[in-house]
Amino acid sequence: IFDDRNAFAQYLDIAQLSSEKYSLTMDEKTYDIYYGYHGSLEVDIKKIDAELPKLSTMNINSERKSLEITMESVPSNNVLWLRLPLKVISAEDAQYRLLIDGVDTKYDLTKFPDQYALGMIIPKDTKHIEIIGTHVVPEFGVFSIIILSISFIGIIYKKNLIFWSTL
């Protein structure tokens, strides 16, 4: 049907097609983070709201180089998995650190070409999940570098102006 299949980017896999999507916007750019729960395809549709956890928000914490997730509700222990695009968060040697309500937690990691799938067990009533890496978007975007450069040039100019005016 289409002559140029590459024009439509990468095809979604079955896990992405059957999962929920959170659109994370940073510096006017949107990144899709797919996530789901163990059994999310196996649960009785009528009971889905009562049985599955509900994710509230995701945010990047640039200072901690982490992705912070706030859960609205976790009615029972569950498995949560996320597809983490490498453009959003990455870790040297794929050594992420996972904190669930402030407690170091083990996780399962699967590598894909441009992302990792990270799976974890979230206990009942979990409120905060933090995935810490070594790089997050935007650490130093082009705009930040330009502002820093202009500020630096302005400081040097002002110092030179003061120095030459005292002579």
Side-chain angles (χ1 to χ4, degrees):
I1 296 175
F2 299 107
D3 293 332
D4 185 10
R5 290 181 181 234
N6 292 328
F8 297 96
Q10 179 179 343
Y11 294 105
L12 298 176
D13 62 32
I14 191 70
Q16 291 169 309
L17 290 172
S18 62
S19 64
E20 297 184 56
K21 178 175 76 170
Y22 188 90
S23 295
L24 182 68
T25 303
M26 297 295 299
D27 286 345
E28 299 178 19
K29 210 169 186 187
T30 301
Y31 303 92
D32 292 334
I33 299 179
Y34 293 91
Y35 67 97
Y37 308 99
H38 175 69
S40 58
L41 296 176
E42 302 154 7
V43 175
D44 182 357
I45 299 291
K46 296 173 190 166
K47 297 180 182 178
I48 200 162
D49 286 336
E51 292 181 9
L52 292 179
K54 290 185 183 135
L55 189 141
S56 179
T57 62
M58 287 189 199
N59 294 301
I60 291 293
N61 182 330
S62 296
E63 288 178 18
R64 291 182 51 87
K65 298 182 182 181
S66 68
L67 175 66
E68 295 180 342
I69 301 166
T70 303
M71 300 301 293
E72 183 178 315
S73 69
V74 181
S76 62
N77 293 354
N78 215 306
V79 173
L80 168 66
W81 60 266
L82 301 125
R83 289 289 185 98
L84 302 173
L86 296 174
K87 292 178 183 176
V88 174
I89 184 169
S90 60
E92 190 173 316
D93 298 325
Q95 296 297 309
Y96 293 93
R97 183 172 175 212
L98 175 64
L99 301 174
I100 297 179
D101 288 332
V103 177
D104 266 311
T105 306
K106 293 185 179 188
Y107 57 88
D108 187 33
L109 198 65
T110 303
K111 173 80 169 104
F112 289 90
D114 62 346
Q115 61 189 328
Y116 279 102
L118 189 139
M120 68 196 82
I121 296 173
I122 53 173
K124 180 180 179 181
D125 299 327
T126 294
K127 297 291 181 209
H128 187 260
I129 300 166
E130 184 175 22
I131 302 165
I132 304 170
T134 54
H135 172 77
V136 292
V137 65
E139 262 189 298
F140 287 106
V142 175
F143 186 70
S144 300
I145 292 171
I146 291 170
I147 296 295
L148 183 63
S149 299
I150 291 171
S151 300
F152 188 67
I153 290 169
I155 290 169
I156 291 173
Y157 175 76
K158 183 116 177 147
K159 281 192 171 198
N160 282 338
L161 188 64
I162 291 170
F163 174 77
W164 290 109
S165 66
T166 59
L167 293 178

